[in-house]
Amino acid sequence: MSRHHPPEDVLMAYAAGSLPEPHSLVVATHLSLCPACRQTMTGLDALGGAMLDDLSPTLMEADSLDRLMARLEEPAPPKAPPAPTDSVLPSPLRAYVGRGIENVAWKKLGRGIEEFRLPIPNTDGYTTRLVRVAAGRDIPSHSHDGDELTLVLAGGFTDGGENYRRGDVAGADPTVHHTPVADADGVCICLIVTEGKLRFSGPFGPLLSYFRG
Ligand SMILES: [Zn+2]
């Protein structure tokens, strides 16, 4: 059971389809792990449906109704087979990674940290990565140019006195300067969306410069 959820305005933006792709992926992955937020989404979808019902008499001109009916009669496009789920990557994320967690081509960054960049175009200045941190290791003290959104997939970490485990979502904005530490009970794997560049400030800053945007 997740203890740290995306804020409701983020869920609403997701329901409205207005989140950038990397953030949509984080929310979709969280939803696959969090019954409570799925419940919230059901309520939001019902709300959205009711609003559409209210709008439909004025929005639907006669010819658009004809077009809608014609479209409904067309055969539905074949659905892509659902991506398989493995023990770490829920299906929305598995589809992006394109392989199981055991076959991810990790790139070593040093100090027990590895990353895999997801093939999502960096058009809005966002970088989307899987990051794997050895048990008990920290990500060196850093701040950000922009927001950072993290979803735990395996293991856990502690940051600012809060502990985050599988399914939990952590957000940080440019005012946050932090040193997340992986839990000691095993490797920690996270999906992390970063806006702009990370700014490392500690003695290991230069070592991890390739972590930047
Ligand atoms: Zn949730």
Side-chain angles (χ1 to χ4, degrees), residues 75-88:
K79 280 188 182 157
T85 292
D86 65 34
S87 60
V88 172

Side-chain angles (χ1 to χ4, degrees), residues 2 4-6 30 34 36-37:
S2 300
H4 302 278
H5 308 269
H30 175 77
C34 181
C37 284

